[in-house]
Amino acid sequence: MFLLDIVILLAAFFIIGLIRNPKLRTALITVASVLFVFYLQPLVPIRNFDYWFPFLTLSFTLLTWAFCARDPDLPIQANRDELALILFPMLIVALSRHTPFNTLFTASRPPALWLSLPAIAFLFILLTGSVQLLKKNLTVLYSVLITLLISLLVIIKMPCLALKASEFLRSISGQQIDSALASDIRWLGYSYIAFRLLSVVIDRKKGRKLFVSPGQFVSYVCFPPALAAGPIDRLDRFAKSLAGNFLASIPYDDAFQRLAIGAFKKFILADGLAFIALSQQNHAQFQSSCWTWSALIAYSLQIYFDFSGYTDIAIGLGLLVGIRLPENFNHPYLKPDIARFWNNWHMTLTQWIRSYVFNPLTRKLRSNKQRPLPQWLIVLLAQFVTMGLIGAWHGVTFNFLIWGAWHAFGLFIHQLYNDRMKDRLLALQQRPQIYQLYLLLSWLLTFLFVALGWVWFVLAEPGDAMAFYRMLLMGRIP
Amino acid sequence: MLDIEEVLIDKIKNDVLDQPGRKLSSSDSLIRSGLIDSFHLVDLALMIEEVFHVKLEDWELNADYFDTIEDLAVLIKTRSN
């Protein structure tokens, strides 16, 4: 999101927050969610896909609602008004093609009406038809939805598949495929949207029932402040706010304080640090070990201020309409061990992965009483699978997988150390001064471990990362 | 409720943390303090299921749902009823 986008969102949410009637405010949040999905989508080099990606986001969201979050005892007509609140703005965006404001909602002119209108009509027919499907066994359908959402995520995150997808989409759009790039597939917020949708489908598949209206569901999945960079809220938590339980009064002081802190972190600190921080462009230019370390520390701080700044802005914007989004960072760099770092870094993503991957996997491995696995092996497997997935979520490339494995190894060693040393550490706590020194050294070690891990995160080529490590340790090699 | 808390304290000290000598009270933070890490949190859930026959779902194993033994006792009591 650019500064202008944030200012426009701020103005829109400030006005919506002034509405005191909860139903009207909820309705306006729904409309804003639909329109901002289109508005925030950046320009895509594939023709009309800055319209089609948001269209697909809303289609997947509505279909997931129809199959998983809809009360099956209520006919779809019971939600007619709210569905109109979603489909009508989609129609407005499509029709804006033939107005002087044809790039007001989308980065480029929306597609021809003979394409966009049948697509909206088809979505409506699918939603209506879903009632019949709901009467049948849906387990297969849930599995299909899960597979589809994950497959799209893999295509977007894996450069070779993204390139193939771009070539395919260019060919059906009548464009040259020679100029296709993996970066063409810029689907705004899909990583976050997919995880929100997946959590609902997986919960429903396991038998958890949570019924919300289509407006609440679209607002949950596409809430504009959290669209581009999270946090990933839970549906039950978010729905409570929207079901008329808004914060009693808008906490303007809190909201503007978070917005100011977020803007300062993002646009002053992070963007300032970017001048000296390690990057894909400058990694080979450092001449001394001192500058190399400075670049690494600067990057470690830059990524924190950038990401946590966005979260502050998202939380501040949410507060303006009376919705408190979950925190995503809790001073992660001040934590004395790697486990606590991960409990406080991108908290909503790690909590999601814990709920749907780590906990079920560990539970399964621990529950095998017939042939129990040794504890160290369970920890090793669970950490590598979990952190491998967190790495892959950032991109299915070798460097992100190594970054995930780096942290899995750290967490594995920490777990073994903690289990073996817990009695000694408990005894050490009785000697406060020595324990404080221990915590200080432990913090330093954790920060260094995390900072060194960022090298894999930034540099796409493992060879470049190894060369950078050599520079850190030995200075420039002639 | 106190019975549940006593059983929980005993089981957490002996089975989950494997630290019989540790002092633990009903109001101590278990998750936010880092006392129980994510790995042993699953052990805690399995123990509760075995002892109290109450299911803790995977998405509930975090400090938003419970953080102290008091919270856990209320959760168990509510679900047992």
Side-chain angles (χ1 to χ4, degrees):
Chain A
M1 273 199 290
F2 297 107
L3 190 57
L4 179 65
D5 298 332
I6 294 168
V7 172
I8 290 171
L9 256 177
L10 193 154
F13 272 44
F14 182 79
I15 293 166
I16 293 173
L18 294 175
I19 311 283
R20 299 192 72 84
N21 181 327
K23 277 192 176 171
L24 183 58
R25 197 194 293 175
T26 307
L28 287 173
I29 292 172
T30 303
V31 174
S33 299
V34 176
L35 293 178
F36 274 105
V37 172
F38 287 98
Y39 177 79
L40 294 173
Q41 168 67 49
L43 188 65
V44 179
I46 308 164
R47 187 176 299 139
N48 292 141
F49 266 78
D50 37 40
Y51 175 85
W52 291 119
F53 282 144
F55 177 84
L56 286 172
T57 293
L58 291 165
S59 301
F60 284 138
T61 305
L62 282 173
L63 289 173
T64 304
W65 167 78
F67 292 123
C68 305
R70 191 178 81 82
D71 186 343
D73 294 330
L74 281 178
I76 203 122
Q77 284 78 4
N79 298 110
R80 196 180 47 198
D81 294 350
E82 286 205 13
L83 281 173
L85 273 181
I86 299 158
L87 294 173
F88 191 66
M90 289 169 79
L91 199 62
I92 297 279
V93 174
L95 292 172
S96 71
R97 175 185 168 89
H98 293 291
T99 69
F101 313 106
N102 55 19
T103 53
L104 179 66
F105 301 111
T106 46
S108 68
R109 205 173 164 211
L113 293 183
W114 67 269
L115 283 170
S116 57
L117 295 187
I120 294 171
F122 183 61
L123 175 63
F124 182 72
I125 291 166
L126 273 181
L127 285 170
T128 318
S130 67
V131 180
Q132 293 305 315
L133 273 171
L134 273 172
K135 292 176 185 162
K136 298 180 180 164
N137 184 356
L138 286 174
T139 315
V140 177
L141 184 76
Y142 295 143
S143 303
V144 170
L145 254 177
I146 292 169
T147 311
L148 179 69
L149 291 167
I150 294 175
S151 303
L152 284 171
L153 198 57
V154 172
I155 290 171
I156 291 169
K157 298 286 179 180
M158 196 181 263
C160 59
L161 292 181
L163 179 64
K164 291 282 173 203
S166 172
E167 286 173 356
F168 171 72
L169 295 176
R170 277 171 179 270
S171 68
I172 59 168
S173 304
Q175 287 172 279
Q176 282 196 334
I177 60 167
D178 302 348
S179 37
L181 293 169
S183 59
D184 291 346
I185 311 293
R186 293 176 209 149
W187 189 336
L188 176 79
Y190 182 76
S191 315
Y192 294 94
I193 290 159
F195 268 36
R196 290 185 193 115
L197 294 177
L198 278 170
S199 66
V200 175
V201 186
I202 295 169
D203 286 359
R204 191 71 191 90
K205 191 169 179 243
K206 284 182 175 176
R208 191 180 189 210
K209 292 174 183 171
L210 185 69
F211 301 125
V212 293
S213 70
Q216 289 170 337
F217 195 69
V218 166
S219 303
Y220 160 69
V221 178
C222 307
F223 192 56
L227 196 59
I232 308 169
D233 205 350
R234 286 196 58 80
L235 175 58
D236 50 357
R237 221 189 73 96
F238 191 88
K240 270 185 202 163
S241 296
L242 276 179
N245 299 321
F246 291 111
L247 297 172
S249 61
I250 302 291
Y252 287 109
D253 287 354
D254 272 8
F256 284 109
Q257 194 180 17
R258 289 303 287 262
L259 283 164
I261 291 172
F264 180 71
K265 281 182 182 173
K266 163 73 189 111
F267 297 108
I268 307 288
L269 294 178
D271 288 359
L273 283 162
F275 288 109
I276 55 162
L278 170 66
S279 70
Q280 185 65 49
Q281 289 75 33
N282 70 9
H283 68 91
Q285 294 167 5
F286 298 105
Q287 298 295 322
S288 73
S289 183
C290 175
W291 275 109
T292 317
W293 276 103
S294 303
L296 183 60
I297 304 294
Y299 179 78
S300 305
L301 296 175
Q302 183 207 351
I303 189 171
Y304 168 70
F305 286 129
D306 191 290
F307 203 175
S308 73
Y310 263 132
T311 304
D312 288 326
I313 291 169
I315 290 173
L317 289 170
L319 287 174
L320 282 180
V321 291
I323 291 175
R324 193 175 284 281
L325 291 171
E327 295 291 341
N328 229 1
F329 295 88
N330 179 26
H331 309 297
Y333 282 146
L334 300 180
K335 304 302 170 195
D337 61 62
I338 190 68
R340 273 185 262 191
F341 168 81
W342 274 108
N343 285 339
N344 294 282
W345 177 276
H346 204 167
M347 288 145 74
T348 55
L349 172 69
T350 50
Q351 190 51 52
W352 193 100
I353 296 273
R354 247 182 238 129
S355 296
Y356 297 103
V357 181
F358 182 89
N359 291 344
L361 179 64
T362 310
R363 196 188 278 263
K364 183 111 182 149
L365 295 171
R366 290 296 257 182
S367 304
N368 188 355
K369 305 275 185 201
Q370 304 274 315
R371 295 169 64 190
L373 292 173
Q375 181 165 316
W376 67 267
L377 186 58
I378 295 175
V379 176
L380 186 75
L381 283 172
Q383 297 293 16
F384 270 82
V385 169
T386 307
M387 294 312 297
L389 279 173
I390 289 184
W393 184 82
H394 291 88
V396 188
T397 54
F398 200 46
N399 65 311
F400 285 123
L401 294 176
I402 297 176
W403 176 73
W406 173 278
H407 280 278
F409 179 72
L411 287 161
F412 171 64
I413 296 295
H414 168 74
Q415 185 80 49
L416 293 188
Y417 171 83
N418 227 24
D419 282 347
R420 189 153 293 188
M421 299 293 287
K422 58 191 169 193
D423 288 327
R424 288 188 194 180
L425 289 174
L426 197 60
L428 198 64
Q429 286 178 28
Q430 308 307 315
R431 303 167 72 182
Q433 284 182 327
I434 298 177
Y435 188 62
Q436 287 302 318
L437 184 66
Y438 170 81
L439 285 181
L440 184 69
L441 291 173
S442 184
W443 163 78
L444 186 63
L445 188 65
T446 305
F447 180 74
L448 277 177
F449 182 81
V450 174
L452 289 168
W454 289 128
V455 176
W456 298 113
F457 193 89
V458 183
L459 302 179
E461 291 298 324
D464 292 342
M466 292 308 292
F468 192 79
Y469 282 126
R470 279 199 296 276
M471 274 291 292
L472 283 169
L473 296 174
M474 294 179 269
R476 177 149 290 282
I477 299 162
Chain B
M1 194 75 89
L2 284 175
D3 290 347
I4 298 177
E5 289 181 14
E6 279 168 20
V7 175
L8 280 171
I9 290 174
D10 179 62
K11 288 282 179 188
I12 289 173
K13 283 202 301 191
N14 291 296
D15 298 350
V16 178
L17 295 173
D18 194 18
Q19 287 181 296
R22 177 180 269 279
K23 283 181 188 164
L24 193 62
S25 80
S26 298
S27 57
D28 286 348
S29 164
L30 301 175
I31 303 173
R32 287 202 176 94
S33 65
L35 180 62
I36 295 188
D37 55 42
S38 39
F39 184 74
H40 289 109
L41 209 49
V42 178
D43 283 347
L44 176 70
L46 290 172
M47 180 273 285
I48 287 171
E49 281 164 24
E50 196 178 307
V51 176
F52 300 99
H53 308 291
V54 164
K55 172 98 173 152
L56 285 184
E57 298 293 346
D58 290 320
W59 60 77
E60 295 174 322
L61 303 183
N62 63 70
D64 285 346
Y65 288 87
F66 64 88
D67 193 35
T68 64
I69 286 166
E70 286 166 348
D71 299 341
L72 262 180
V74 172
L75 204 67
I76 291 167
K77 183 88 176 163
T78 316
R79 295 209 176 159
S80 304
N81 292 336

